[in-house]
Amino acid sequence: MIEKHIVLEDIDPVMFLGVGNVHLQMLRALYPKLRIIARDNVIRIMGDEEQMAAFEENTEKMRQHVLKFNTITEEDILDIIKGKHKHLEVPNDVVVYSISGRPIKPRSENQQKLIEAYQNNDMIFAVGPAGTGKTYLSIALAVKALKEKTAKKIILSRPAVEAGEKLGFLPGDMKDKIDPYLQPLYDALEDMIPQVKLQDMMEKHVIQIAPLAFMRGRTLSDAIVILDEAQNTTPAQIRMFLTRMGWNTKMIITGDMTQIDLPHSQKSGLIEALHILNNVEGIGVVNLNGKDIVRHKLVTRIVNAYENFDKEYKNNNESINKD
């Protein structure tokens, strides 16, 4: 009896085989002359040579479908096996698909500018208020690069700034103390990569999440590197980070000038970097604003209210100083 093994690379086997192996049961019914056994990401097939060849071909089509769209339904499987499945291309405006199959794409003019800046530059600064999608879209671009194999790894970093709470008073070891700062990055990744696959990628260091201080001394090559919350870096920190750039690497630096948590006496490294690197070839700068906010509509109103308050406060201070 002929036996072959098929390895499901780059995809979550649970998504492919279905919850409770429902897709696997369907495949067994559709290929009655084959004995199909699945364990982890390996499928063993034994039996009729002709059905085996057809099964191998359709399994690859199914794998490609999951790789592109992050989901596959029983209807998709039936269409593939019956030859009715069309060769679907990801629309040009879609970056990647979420684990629920939702297309992740730019939802404003400035978000589109962020994607274009990424395509045309090796280093991008994305600056804007909370909710404008700068971090989420940046991570989506990194995930896409990983899927398309234009990068070998994703490196995500944030400065661990103590915003009113001392790290030493937080429970647990150093990882436990730092993880809360990095949780927004985990959240975005979990929305785009199935949990099992994400865990495997992190264990193999294909995806790395680390505080900014851990970047010192490294050369980051063949990677998409994202520095989030860069407004909370010092000038020395951001200079150290930017000079970690190696071959075949793209860097995305995001920040919100209205949420600087540094001591008042400390200058933001992001502000200084934008001033020093202005008009440097190969660096793109995208400024997002309230019109780009894609969270709850109240977030836009809150951001606008605070902006108006800041302007009024600044004008009052200038008037007092003149007097």
Side-chain angles (χ1 to χ4, degrees), residues 7 57 72 82 157 184 227 235 280:
V7 180
E57 182 181 344
I72 191 166
K82 292 179 180 179
S157 187
L227 174 61
V280 172

Side-chain angles (χ1 to χ4, degrees), residues 18-291:
V19 177
N21 283 336
V22 64
H23 295 166
L24 178 61
Q25 298 300 335
M26 175 188 282
L27 291 169
R28 285 170 175 162
L30 291 167
Y31 291 95
K33 295 181 182 181
L34 295 179
R35 186 182 178 199
I36 306 170
I37 302 170
R39 177 170 293 180
D40 296 329
N41 68 332
V42 178
I43 299 176
R44 291 173 56 206
I45 47 174
M46 295 161 279
D48 181 76
E49 189 172 353
E50 186 176 341
Q51 278 204 3
M52 191 179 291
F55 181 85
E56 281 188 283
E57 182 181 344
N58 289 327
T59 297
E60 177 58 22
K61 290 178 181 177
M62 291 167 58
R63 190 187 72 83
Q64 289 294 337
H65 185 97
V66 173
L67 200 59
K68 282 183 180 180
F69 302 104
N70 239 345
T71 187
I72 191 166
T73 65
E74 293 179 26
E75 185 179 353
D76 293 327
I77 294 171
L78 283 172
D79 285 344
I80 289 171
I81 292 172
K82 292 179 180 179
K84 297 179 181 179
H85 188 265
K86 297 179 180 177
H87 182 67
L88 299 176
E89 290 295 335
V90 175
N92 290 333
D93 63 339
V94 174
V95 182
V96 290
Y97 287 83
S98 72
I99 58 172
S100 63
R102 175 178 57 85
I104 297 171
K105 56 186 178 180
R107 295 171 63 182
S108 71
E109 184 179 346
N110 285 326
Q111 286 190 359
Q112 180 60 40
K113 287 181 180 178
L114 172 56
I115 291 176
E116 291 170 359
Y118 171 85
Q119 293 168 344
N120 298 325
N121 299 278
D122 288 334
M123 185 177 290
I124 308 97
F125 287 85
V127 182
T132 51
K134 54 190 182 294
T135 300
Y136 191 79
L137 200 56
S138 297
I139 291 177
L141 288 166
V143 171
K144 180 182 182 180
L146 209 57
K147 282 177 174 285
E148 295 178 349
K149 301 187 186 300
T150 56
K152 293 181 180 178
K153 55 183 176 283
I154 298 173
I155 301 172
L156 307 174
S157 187
R158 263 186 160 203
V161 175
E162 300 174 3
E165 202 169 10
K166 296 295 184 181
L167 279 172
F169 291 111
L170 295 175
D173 58 19
M174 182 54 70
K175 183 180 183 300
D176 294 328
K177 295 175 190 291
I178 288 170
D179 268 357
Y181 292 101
L182 307 175
Q183 191 58 49
L185 305 180
Y186 289 113
D187 291 343
L189 286 170
E190 287 171 355
D191 197 33
M192 301 176 205
I193 302 173
Q195 183 62 45
V196 175
K197 187 65 181 176
L198 177 58
Q199 188 65 36
D200 180 62
M201 287 178 162
M202 293 184 72
E203 288 175 359
K204 294 177 179 177
H205 301 293
V206 174
I207 295 178
Q208 303 170 28
I209 305 179
L212 180 59
F214 289 23
M215 296 294 108
R216 187 173 299 278
R218 299 183 65 183
T219 299
L220 310 175
S221 300
D222 297 310
I224 307 298
V225 187
I226 299 174
L227 174 61
D228 194 33
E229 300 288 350
Q231 77 277 0
N232 287 326
T233 60
T234 65
Q237 285 175 328
I238 200 166
R239 182 173 182 175
M240 176 274 292
F241 175 82
L242 297 178
T243 54
R244 300 304 94 203
M245 192 173 191
W247 293 105
N248 190 37
T249 288
K250 281 181 179 280
M251 280 188 167
I252 307 176
I253 300 93
T254 71
D256 177 1
M257 300 303 194
T258 67
Q259 294 191 20
I260 298 175
D261 297 319
L262 295 167
H264 292 297
S265 59
Q266 179 67 66
K267 185 176 181 180
S268 168
L270 179 59
I271 294 174
E272 182 176 276
L274 288 170
H275 174 72
I276 293 172
L277 303 176
N278 187 35
N279 296 323
V280 172
E281 185 179 354
I283 297 178
V285 179
V286 179
N287 291 293
L288 299 101
N289 54 50
K291 294 180 180 179

